[in-house]
Amino acid sequence: MAPVLAPAKVLVTGASGFIAAWVCKTLLDHGYHVVGTGEQDSYDTISFSIRHRLPKLFEKDGHGKDKFSFVIVEDIEMNGAFDQAVIGVDAVQHMASPFHFKADDPQELIGPAVSGTIGVLESIKKNAPGVKRVVITSSVASIIHDKSSEIFDETDWNVTSPNEVEQKGKGASAIHKYRASKVLAERAAWKFLEDNKGSVAFDLVTVCPPMVWGPIIHDVKSVDALNTSIAGFHAHTLPGKTEQQLLIPSGNWVDVRDVALVHVLSLSNKDAAGERFITSSGPFTYQDALDALHRADISLTDVPKGTPGKGKDVLGIIYSSAKAEKVFGMKFKTIDETAPATFKALKDRGF
């Protein structure tokens, strides 16, 4: 399938989210027209963000109502939730999926993740024959699994978490519940494409980020409402963490602006079709983030120093971004760029 170039119209599901808001902005900055979806929620945070905050933000960047519009969906798990939203678009960026570790029943995460993914693909099949490419936000949660090597790439699939959830149900760990939701949703998308080869015209790309930091541009009313990755960053800039806590290998990280750019380039690059892409700047401890903040020229009242330099001695797993670097020419931001930008955005909101 041919790539989707600007000024094509792109649907972004879950557009009021942290990453999705940046995807909308990056698409607009690259000349695309964007339709964002948000869930109906009695005009609370999600619908307020997509109805008011994001349009005003994009208008300041020169992207008016002719470039950005929105559709409210009642419930992404409902049959046909996206039937109207997909009409007339050329591509879809599907990003609406829960990310938290609070679920008791694994289906609280797996249901929306899988149903939302299959639902939007079914809606495209039924109502949007002009869609040429679908990009789905997956996660390195769909990649990590038990193996001897500490380096993971796009050929890896998480078989560990679905097995854990199948065997233990509610007794599975919170991290496995979340990871199972991501890998099952991504697997379902690839299976849908295989099962519908002769009846759909679009191809598929999945983007797999780790922990995502960077400036927040969506609506957040309180610290308690911060998304999981930014909440973790914020918590570790406050006093009270022990040296041991700051030096725990915490996975990999990436800047939200790089994740958004890969989503956009996945539309315009013909070689992206049918591929998975890890987007990672590398492994980290929160000590590394504190070190980056204290190297920056910013005010750091009450931000702890921890044990400077100690994070470099900690070995962590690596999610390889070699494919994204090769296909898209990506040069991922450094922690010295992203940590201060994240901190400043939080302070600007009064957090």
Side-chain angles (χ1 to χ4, degrees):
M1 181 62 67
V4 181
L5 306 177
K9 183 183 286 188
V10 183
L11 179 72
V12 179
T13 69
S16 58
F18 171 47
I19 301 174
W22 270 103
V23 169
C24 289
K25 174 176 167 51
T26 309
L27 283 165
L28 291 166
D29 290 344
H30 280 73
Y32 290 89
H33 290 70
V34 177
V35 180
T37 76
E39 282 194 76
Q40 181 67 42
D41 60 354
S42 302
Y43 299 128
D44 202 349
T45 304
I46 293 175
S47 57
F48 176 86
S49 186
I50 199 165
R51 289 175 187 270
H52 301 290
R53 182 179 178 86
L54 293 182
K56 286 183 179 179
L57 174 69
F58 299 150
E59 197 166 350
K60 287 181 182 178
D61 292 338
H63 310 306
K65 293 179 181 178
D66 60 322
K67 297 290 184 66
F68 178 77
S69 59
F70 61 84
V71 177
I72 302 297
V73 298
E74 289 189 19
D75 180 349
I76 66 171
E77 289 190 77
M78 286 178 57
N79 288 335
F82 296 103
D83 279 1
Q84 296 302 308
V86 299
I87 294 174
V89 302
D90 304 296
V92 174
Q93 301 265 3
H94 178 56
M95 314 192 69
S97 185
F99 175 22
H100 63 80
F101 302 117
K102 303 172 185 176
D104 177 38
D105 189 330
Q107 289 305 316
E108 292 176 39
L109 294 170
I110 294 170
V114 176
S115 298
T117 299
I118 296 303
V120 74
L121 297 179
E122 289 282 9
S123 292
I124 295 167
K125 178 183 176 182
K126 182 166 53 174
N127 287 347
V131 168
K132 301 179 183 70
R133 182 162 294 175
V134 177
V135 181
I136 293 178
T137 310
S138 186
S139 167
V140 294
S142 71
I143 286 174
I144 189 172
H145 61 101
D146 293 339
K147 71 172 192 176
S148 57
S149 172
E150 295 296 305
I151 300 176
F152 294 82
D153 63 23
E154 291 86 354
T155 64
D156 286 292
W157 283 94
N158 182 353
V159 294
T160 307
S161 297
N163 288 342
E164 167 108 354
V165 166
E166 185 177 354
Q167 292 168 13
K168 298 183 179 179
K170 291 182 179 180
S173 68
I175 190 69
H176 280 305
K177 292 173 186 176
Y178 167 69
R179 287 174 176 172
S181 77
K182 297 306 291 186
V183 68
L184 291 173
E186 187 184 347
R187 288 275 201 191
W190 289 112
K191 185 177 186 301
F192 180 94
L193 198 65
E194 181 65 27
D195 291 347
N196 290 274
K197 262 185 178 178
S199 52
V200 298
F202 61 84
D203 54 35
L204 181 65
V205 182
T206 59
V207 179
C208 301
M211 197 67 74
V212 184
W213 298 340
I216 49 176
I217 60 173
H218 63 305
D219 193 58
V220 184
K221 297 188 181 302
S222 67
V223 169
D224 291 340
L226 288 170
N227 61 291
T228 303
S229 58
I230 295 298
F233 180 96
H234 177 264
H236 285 83
T237 64
L238 303 176
K241 298 295 182 184
T242 66
E243 177 179 345
Q244 184 179 10
Q245 288 173 316
L246 292 174
L247 292 174
I248 294 172
S250 299
N252 285 206
W253 73 276
V254 68
D255 192 294
V256 65
R257 294 164 291 186
D258 288 338
V259 178
L261 182 56
V262 169
H263 277 77
V264 175
L265 296 177
S266 292
L267 291 180
S268 61
N269 190 306
K270 64 180 179 61
D271 295 329
E275 298 291 346
R276 309 170 83 200
F277 291 100
I278 292 172
T279 57
S280 173
S281 287
F284 77 99
T285 66
Y286 281 102
Q287 181 64 60
D288 299 323
L290 293 181
D291 290 350
L293 290 179
H294 284 283
R295 285 193 293 266
D297 185 21
I298 54 176
S299 175
L300 295 174
T301 306
D302 295 329
V303 175
K305 288 189 174 182
T307 313
K310 261 309 212 29
K312 294 178 181 178
D313 300 330
V314 178
L315 298 178
I317 63 173
I318 294 173
Y319 296 104
S320 172
S321 291
K323 187 198 284 190
E325 291 167 1
K326 179 180 179 181
V327 173
F328 302 126
M330 285 295 299
K331 184 178 181 182
F332 289 91
K333 287 181 172 56
T334 67
I335 200 167
D336 284 318
E337 296 172 280
T338 300
T342 309
F343 183 83
K344 182 179 184 304
L346 288 167
K347 289 301 176 186
D348 287 346
R349 298 289 185 97
F351 300 151

